[in-house]
């Protein structure tokens, strides 16, 4: 049963990259189906409006609930998980990507402006799994880039999408800490040599060196990922 993904957005063109590379191959192989829906197709006024002023005042505009209700109703089933990207969401992570990779149907609601009327989340929460997710502690202009990131991180974990599942084992955020540095040909580049141990053929020594490099890199770049931190 392929993973079905429906993306609802006012900027469908943001999702053209999903036809390329690994994501494109995943769709061609039938492991994943991705459909992009223009929210404005679900409006009923001649201006195809999707936003209005916020109750309680404040800057910016808020996305009105009805177009979202119409759009989500058009694709939702009792197997759906509704993902709402938002700066206020729980942090998206590799474990969350793995959960999403094993879902049946994902609906991504890509908001813009100051976000989507909260009643959309409130309406669907008693009916299906609803997850408000953030990809990090910085503010984007909308949910589209976050959705692209979450789709890519999740779809690459769908069994069969990656040619060599081995490559999933040693990558950052799978193992504790970050991954070791990588090198390839030429053995010397602009006077810089590849670490000798990697050319030695001594697999135990290489494994030990890589573990040391992972710890050094984690300590320097992501001490928060060190065991016991
Ligand atoms: N995931 C995620 C996000 C977002 C994000 C996601 C959806 C929307 C819809 C609108 N905005 C702009 C906006 C600006 C200011 C306040 N509230 C909203 C979004 C930002 N920003 N940063 C993340 N990690």
């Amino acid at each position: 049963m392929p993973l079905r993904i429906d993306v609802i957005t006012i900027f469908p063109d943001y999702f053209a990259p999903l036809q390329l590379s690994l994501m494109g191959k995943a769709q061609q192989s039938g492991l994943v189906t991705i459909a992009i829906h223009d929210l404005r197709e679900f409006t009923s006024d001649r201006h195809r409006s999707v936003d209005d002023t916020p109750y309680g005042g404040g800057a910016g505009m808020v996305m009105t609930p009805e177009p979202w209700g119409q759009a989500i109703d058009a694709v939702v089933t009792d197997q759906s998980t509704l993902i709402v990207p938002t700066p206020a969401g729980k942090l998206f992570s590799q474990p969350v990507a793995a959960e999403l990779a094993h879902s049946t149907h994902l609906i991504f609601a890509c908001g813009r402006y100051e976000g989507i009327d909260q009643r959309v989340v409130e309406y669907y929460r008693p009916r299906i799994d609803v997850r408000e997710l953030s990809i990090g502690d910085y503010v984007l202009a909308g949910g589209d880039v976050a959705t692209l990131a979450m789709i890519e991180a999740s779809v690459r974990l769908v069994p069969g999408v990656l040619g060599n599942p081995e490559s999933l084992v040693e990558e950052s955020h799978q193992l504790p800490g970050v991954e070791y540095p990588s090198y390839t040909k030429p053995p010397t580049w602009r006077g810089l040599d590849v670490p000798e141990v990697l050319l030695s053929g001594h697999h135990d020594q290489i494994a030990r060196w890589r573990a040391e490099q992972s710890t050094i890199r984690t300590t320097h770049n992501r001490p928060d990922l060190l065991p016991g931190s």
Side-chain angles (χ1 to χ4, degrees):
M1 175 83 155
L3 166 61
R4 176 167 178 78
I5 298 176
D6 286 290
V7 177
I8 305 168
T9 172
I10 59 172
F11 294 120
D13 292 350
Y14 250 91
F15 295 91
L18 291 178
Q19 300 309 317
L20 306 174
S21 186
L22 191 68
M23 296 299 104
K25 292 188 178 73
Q27 293 181 79
Q28 286 154 14
S29 69
L31 289 167
V32 178
T33 62
I34 302 178
I36 312 300
H37 308 274
D38 184 344
L39 180 69
R40 293 191 192 277
E41 298 298 317
F42 297 91
T43 58
S44 51
D45 65 308
R46 65 193 180 92
H47 296 297
R48 294 165 42 108
S49 54
V50 293
D51 64 304
D52 207 329
T53 53
Y55 278 123
M61 302 292 272
V62 175
M63 301 190 91
T64 54
E66 185 53 17
W68 286 104
Q70 293 293 330
I72 294 168
D73 283 354
V75 297
V76 74
T77 74
D78 56 8
Q79 301 288 310
S80 305
T81 296
L82 174 62
I83 313 282
V84 183
T86 169
K90 291 183 178 178
L91 191 60
F92 180 73
S93 63
Q94 193 69 7
V96 173
E99 287 173 38
L100 299 187
H102 290 88
S103 303
T104 302
H105 181 214
L106 300 175
I107 303 171
F108 286 89
C110 303
R112 281 276 159 168
Y113 306 99
E114 295 305 308
I116 301 171
D117 185 303
Q118 194 62 22
R119 288 171 291 180
V120 173
V121 165
E122 290 166 18
Y123 176 82
Y124 287 102
R125 191 149 265 162
R127 294 168 171 82
I128 57 172
D129 183 20
V130 178
R131 306 182 75 161
E132 295 179 283
L133 295 176
S134 167
I135 61 167
D137 295 334
Y138 41 82
V139 181
L140 300 167
D144 306 85
V145 165
T147 294
L148 273 171
M150 290 192 267
I151 288 176
E152 182 162 306
S154 303
V155 166
R156 66 189 293 278
L157 299 180
V158 170
V161 168
L162 274 190
N164 175 12
E166 266 300 296
S167 55
L168 285 175
V169 174
E170 294 188 334
E171 67 183 12
S172 295
H173 306 295
Q174 287 288 107
L175 295 171
V178 300
E179 62 194 1
Y180 49 79
S182 298
Y183 300 83
T184 186
K185 302 179 187 64
T188 298
W189 176 71
R190 295 188 180 184
L192 298 170
D193 294 336
V194 169
E196 214 165 304
V197 65
L198 298 180
L199 308 177
S200 71
H202 294 306
H203 297 293
D204 290 351
Q205 290 179 26
I206 291 169
R208 197 162 39 249
W209 180 87
R210 284 175 165 173
E212 286 162 4
Q213 289 298 312
S214 169
T215 301
I216 291 166
R217 246 181 162 195
T218 305
T219 304
H220 186 263
N221 294 341
R222 288 299 302 276
D224 59 300
L225 296 179
L226 286 171
S229 62

